Amino acid sequence: MTSESKSNLQRDVEFFEYTHAVNPLAQGAITAEPYAELLSHLHEQGPTRVIPFDLSDKLVCDGPATSPNLAAAFVRIEPGKRLNTKVNATSELYYVIRGTGVTAKNDVQMQWKTGDFFTVPGGTELTHSAETDSALYWINDEPLLTYLGATATKERFTPTLYKAEECQRELELVSKDPAAADRNRVSVLLGNKNFPQTMTITHTLWAMFGLLPKDAVQPPHRHNSVALDLILECKPGCYTLVSKELDKNGEHINPVRQDWKPNSAFVTPPFYWHSHYNESGENARLIPIQDAGLQTYMRTLDIEFAHPAVRAKKTANIL
């Protein structure tokens, strides 16, 4: 081995004293997931286009990226127009905010309408064609593959359509259950039979279709997955409180308040306590999408709920 080749083999070597590198997030070497929102007016006007929810500058990573593992975006398509998308991802998830149209992947065509969800393995070009003015909420895991330096080559599932009426029916069944008021969230999780271990919509993605009933308080919980929340219909008075810590009574310490806005999205950072409040007088719905499929498989999701006594106290306060 020449001295030059030996030098090349050693040029990237570093050593750190344990306490200086054991927690890069606390040290500031890696940035925290920021609070941010993507508002509905962006997909309500303008030309056919993808509108990235890009926080890569704050995350200090290749973009577009909304979190280290996921990229979110609005897709606006004018009536009679089409748009092609292609990402290096294992999973793509779409929710139809409004409109009707078709998404084609090779010889597979998915007819969609307002309220539908559909998932597609990434890595192949898709053609989205709108029959009416349309907007989609789009999540994919391309940032994860970019960080790993990997290319999606094996499809783990086939294109799958979750029809709006079936999702709403399942949510209504859950909400009418007498035990619903005692649950931390009133919601259904969308699953795919290919992933019986994680019970998630894809092997990396997790999607919840949820209800925030009028006058409800959904108590704090936290988890290691980031949440890219899409708010559907809501009236003023719906909001989420987010904080790093709770006090001994299960109340937020120095919370950030995120007011809900219809057909808009916001980020709930990982492992922050968050609770939902509806003071609007009308029911509201939301769709959190997370990288919890991956986190669950890794055994690192670590979802934690405020103490049961705290939940009972909060429930009593709203009755």
Side-chain angles (χ1 to χ4, degrees):
M1 179 180 297
T2 66
S3 60
E4 182 179 353
S5 62
K6 183 178 179 180
S7 175
N8 287 338
L9 290 173
Q10 294 180 316
R11 66 186 176 190
D12 295 329
V13 173
E14 284 189 305
F15 299 98
F16 300 98
E17 188 278 321
Y18 175 81
T19 60
H20 286 83
V22 68
N23 190 344
L25 186 60
Q27 297 282 352
I30 192 168
T31 57
E33 177 72 37
Y35 296 104
E37 60 183 353
L38 191 67
L39 299 178
S40 61
H41 70 87
L42 294 169
H43 64 68
E44 292 170 348
Q45 56 191 354
T48 295
R49 68 199 187 283
V50 173
I51 305 160
F53 195 176
D54 188 13
L55 305 177
S56 58
D57 58 336
K58 297 180 176 62
L59 295 168
V60 192
C61 67
D62 293 331
T66 318
S67 77
N69 289 342
L70 303 180
F74 291 141
V75 179
R76 169 172 167 76
I77 313 175
E78 299 167 280
K81 297 292 183 67
R82 64 177 56 187
L83 179 70
N84 293 337
T85 59
K86 183 178 181 180
V87 290
N88 176 34
T90 76
S91 303
E92 300 183 51
L93 186 156
Y94 296 83
Y95 174 78
V96 184
I97 298 172
R98 71 174 181 278
T100 56
V102 178
T103 292
K105 178 184 186 294
N106 298 327
D107 58 347
V108 177
Q109 294 199 354
M110 289 167 288
Q111 186 86 34
W112 42 259
K113 63 183 182 306
T114 301
D116 287 348
F117 296 79
F118 60 94
T119 56
V120 185
T124 302
E125 185 173 69
L126 304 179
T127 300
H128 312 279
S129 304
E131 298 164 356
T132 60
D133 182 68
S134 299
L136 312 175
Y137 186 48
W138 177 29
I139 306 286
N140 65 74
D141 60 6
E142 184 175 44
L144 172 63
L145 273 69
T146 300
Y147 176 71
L148 294 175
T151 301
T153 57
K154 181 179 179 180
E155 296 187 353
R156 296 288 313 281
F157 61 98
T158 58
T160 305
L161 175 67
Y162 301 77
K163 292 185 176 181
E165 57 271 24
E166 295 177 1
C167 295
Q168 185 59 38
R169 181 192 66 215
E170 294 296 324
L171 182 58
E172 289 177 1
L173 287 173
V174 168
S175 66
K176 292 176 181 177
D177 188 320
D182 297 325
R183 293 174 178 148
N184 188 271
R185 299 293 188 266
V186 180
S187 65
V188 292
L189 301 181
L190 281 63
N192 185 302
K193 292 180 179 179
N194 288 287
F195 310 113
Q197 287 184 303
T198 60
M199 304 169 67
T200 49
I201 194 166
T202 82
H203 52 304
T204 61
L205 302 181
W206 176 103
M208 184 188 100
F209 184 46
L211 174 71
L212 182 60
K214 63 180 182 180
D215 305 321
V217 175
Q218 294 182 340
H221 76 204
R222 64 180 180 180
H223 37 74
N224 284 335
S225 52
V226 69
L228 307 181
D229 300 299
L230 177 69
I231 302 304
L232 303 181
E233 67 274 357
C234 70
K235 298 295 183 181
C238 296
Y239 60 94
T240 295
L241 293 183
V242 186
S243 66
K244 293 183 179 180
E245 301 292 340
L246 301 178
D247 64 20
K248 64 181 180 180
N249 296 316
E251 302 290 345
H252 290 280
I253 298 174
N254 299 322
V256 171
R257 174 169 168 156
Q258 176 65 59
D259 286 294
W260 290 17
K261 303 174 183 69
N263 299 322
S264 298
F266 66 88
V267 175
T268 302
F271 212 61
Y272 283 23
W273 292 102
H274 48 285
S275 52
H276 305 313
Y277 303 80
N278 187 343
E279 300 168 0
S280 72
E282 296 187 24
N283 291 343
R285 295 187 302 163
L286 72 159
I287 301 172
I289 301 173
Q290 307 176 13
D291 55 354
L294 178 64
Q295 296 279 357
T296 299
Y297 181 73
M298 293 173 61
R299 284 69 167 173
T300 57
L301 181 62
D302 194 24
I303 188 165
E304 183 179 357
F305 300 91
H307 191 277
V310 174
R311 296 205 301 273
K313 176 182 176 182
K314 288 181 178 289
T315 301
N317 288 341
I318 66 171
L319 295 180

